Amino acid sequence: MKKTAFLLALLVVSSFTYSQVDKVDNAIKDLMQKNKIVGLQLAVIKDNAIVKTGHYGLASVEDSIAVDSQTIFSINSITKSFTAVAILQLVENGKLNLDEPISKYLDKLPKSWQNITVKQILTHKSGLPEIWDSQGNMLSENSETLFQKIKELPLVFKPGKEFRDCQANYLLLGMLIEKISGQSFEKFITENQYKKAGMKNSIKAGVGDFYSIIKHSAKPYSYFRNNVLTNVYQPIPSNLYPAGGIYSTATEIAQWVIALQSNQLLNAENLNTLWSPIRLDNGEIYEENGFLNQSSIGFYSSSRAKNPVIASLGGNRNALYIYPKDSISVVILTNLVGSRPENFIEEIANLYLAEKK
């Protein structure tokens, strides 16, 4: 039975750009088999147009339901890129100043937080404490309790002096969006991003966590437990939805990328702000080891000279790579936690980058 289910998971059910199986589909089939991926969606953008979409494998192993073009996936932390765009939309509309302290916009914050700027929150230089305890457990699954516990903890470094990716920053960014706009996070994203990009399935899905019932969605799986395929459940307090609560399709993420790059969501100046590498107070660009060695607002990036990349990653199972100089982008969404498509997404991108040479 298990063998049959796994073989079904590797079946390809694709929407084709071309009339026959092409090299991209073959590459995806190989990568799915190699990485034991259950279900996957693909979208490729070239010169600001979607040139390839594909859906492969199973959305539900239990019920033998295939992934199709409308299957909804949790995009996990790719949500952060949407939140970052939302903040800069407020800036562009003159409703928010990144250099102002967050205490200008939000009430009842700890004294040690009063002078932290919006920009420091946005660029992970705030020094805010994490949402996890020393054992790696979330401080609370309840939104109000979680925020209260975070406020009771000391800052982990002096704001502006270091960079540390922190989920609590997105909790505050969500609060800023809701306070300034007078709308819920979901409503603001819907009105200012989904509708502009034509993301109808994302609008229907709404925001939530792995316990939410999202119609026509792919079930999340992993091999973390004894290397056997199992279901995954990850609670997310509602005030952390700006960090990981969006559900979408690969095609609609691609539509969003096109809208972003064509300045339908942000003007050119703010798009440049969004993708500029984060600098510390001493003026130096913050860098880490590895391929995606730099960070920007809501994105990662690679500093390599040839084919530079702007990336957004989610849940160790989703990846978006944007090649701004090459006018190519690739979206891969999967329902296997631990599939890490960032490790193989360039194999797909290179099939299109080679055509640019």
Side-chain angles (χ1 to χ4, degrees):
M1 187 69 179
K2 290 181 180 178
K3 184 177 180 181
T4 302
F6 182 68
L7 289 173
L8 282 171
L10 297 179
L11 289 175
V12 177
V13 186
S14 294
S15 60
F16 297 103
T17 301
Y18 308 107
S19 60
Q20 59 185 6
V21 175
D22 63 16
K23 58 187 177 182
V24 177
D25 293 299
N26 289 329
I28 289 291
K29 287 166 59 179
D30 290 342
L31 289 165
M32 289 182 70
Q33 186 169 16
K34 179 181 178 181
N35 294 282
K36 299 193 293 185
I37 295 172
V38 181
L40 183 150
Q41 275 184 345
L42 168 74
V44 181
I45 302 167
K46 185 177 179 181
D47 297 327
N48 236 23
I50 297 174
V51 296
K52 171 71 178 176
T53 62
H55 43 276
Y56 314 80
L58 294 177
S60 170
V61 172
E62 295 91 324
D63 300 312
S64 298
I65 298 174
V67 175
D68 62 30
S69 62
Q70 309 298 309
T71 302
I72 298 292
F73 287 76
S74 168
I75 68 170
N76 304 101
S77 286
I78 292 179
T79 301
K80 295 173 181 177
S81 299
F82 286 75
T83 300
V85 169
I87 290 292
L88 288 179
Q89 286 177 324
L90 292 173
V91 171
E92 191 166 303
N93 292 326
K95 296 180 179 180
L96 180 65
N97 186 332
L98 296 183
D99 295 320
E100 294 284 0
I102 55 172
S103 56
K104 178 179 177 178
Y105 304 100
L106 299 176
D107 301 323
K108 300 179 181 180
L109 297 177
K111 185 176 180 181
S112 60
W113 297 17
Q114 296 291 318
N115 293 321
I116 298 174
T117 66
V118 176
K119 188 173 185 179
Q120 287 170 337
I121 296 289
L122 193 59
T123 57
H124 293 287
K125 297 186 294 182
S126 64
L128 289 183
E130 254 300 353
I131 65 170
W132 318 101
D133 62 22
S134 58
Q135 304 301 313
N137 300 312
M138 193 178 297
L139 296 174
S140 174
E141 295 179 11
N142 176 274
S143 293
E144 292 184 8
T145 305
L146 175 64
F147 188 43
Q148 186 57 44
K149 288 189 174 184
I150 292 171
K151 290 195 294 184
E152 294 170 356
L153 297 172
L155 295 177
V156 295
F157 59 82
K158 186 176 180 180
K161 298 301 181 184
E162 297 182 31
F163 172 98
R164 187 176 300 183
D165 199 325
C166 175
Q167 303 294 328
N169 289 320
Y170 282 92
L171 187 154
L172 283 181
L173 292 175
M175 292 173 63
L176 282 170
I177 291 167
E178 295 189 343
K179 179 69 178 291
I180 294 169
S181 71
Q183 298 177 315
S184 68
F185 170 76
E186 180 179 344
K187 181 69 172 177
F188 186 85
I189 295 294
T190 297
E191 294 296 325
N192 294 282
Q193 296 183 49
Y194 289 171
K195 288 185 177 180
K196 291 183 178 181
M199 301 171 68
K200 295 180 180 179
N201 289 306
S202 303
I203 293 172
K204 290 179 184 178
V207 298
D209 64 8
F210 285 8
Y211 286 94
S212 303
I213 296 176
I214 308 294
K215 292 183 179 180
H216 208 79
S217 61
K219 287 188 176 182
Y221 301 99
S222 84
Y223 288 100
F224 293 156
R225 189 174 182 180
N226 300 321
N227 202 33
V228 175
L229 190 68
T230 64
N231 296 111
V232 176
Y233 298 96
Q234 293 179 340
I236 305 177
S238 59
N239 56 356
L240 277 178
Y241 287 167
I246 286 179
Y247 284 77
S248 191
T249 69
T251 298
E252 292 192 352
I253 297 297
Q255 292 170 198
W256 179 82
V257 171
I258 292 171
L260 183 61
Q261 290 194 285
S262 60
N263 302 126
Q264 297 176 52
L265 305 182
L266 292 172
N267 63 30
E269 180 183 354
N270 282 310
L271 181 58
N272 182 64
T273 298
L274 186 77
W275 286 347
S276 294
I278 291 172
R279 295 178 181 271
L280 300 177
D281 279 2
N282 61 11
E284 294 183 359
I285 292 175
Y286 174 80
E287 290 193 354
E288 295 182 340
N289 296 323
F291 174 59
L292 297 176
N293 61 327
Q294 296 181 350
S295 294
S296 59
I297 296 174
F299 291 84
Y300 303 98
S301 60
S302 173
S303 62
R304 68 182 182 189
K306 184 179 180 181
N307 305 129
V309 176
I310 302 292
S312 186
L313 310 177
N316 291 323
R317 65 189 185 115
N318 304 307
L320 160 63
Y321 271 29
I322 300 170
Y323 298 81
K325 288 186 178 181
D326 302 285
S327 297
I328 286 172
S329 299
V330 180
V331 184
I332 292 179
L333 305 182
T334 85
N335 59 347
L336 179 66
V337 178
S339 61
R340 291 186 176 275
E342 63 270 24
N343 291 338
F344 60 77
I345 192 170
E346 286 220 292
E347 292 185 38
I348 303 302
N350 285 337
L351 297 175
Y352 293 88
L353 292 170
E355 296 175 1
K356 285 281 187 176
K357 294 179 180 178

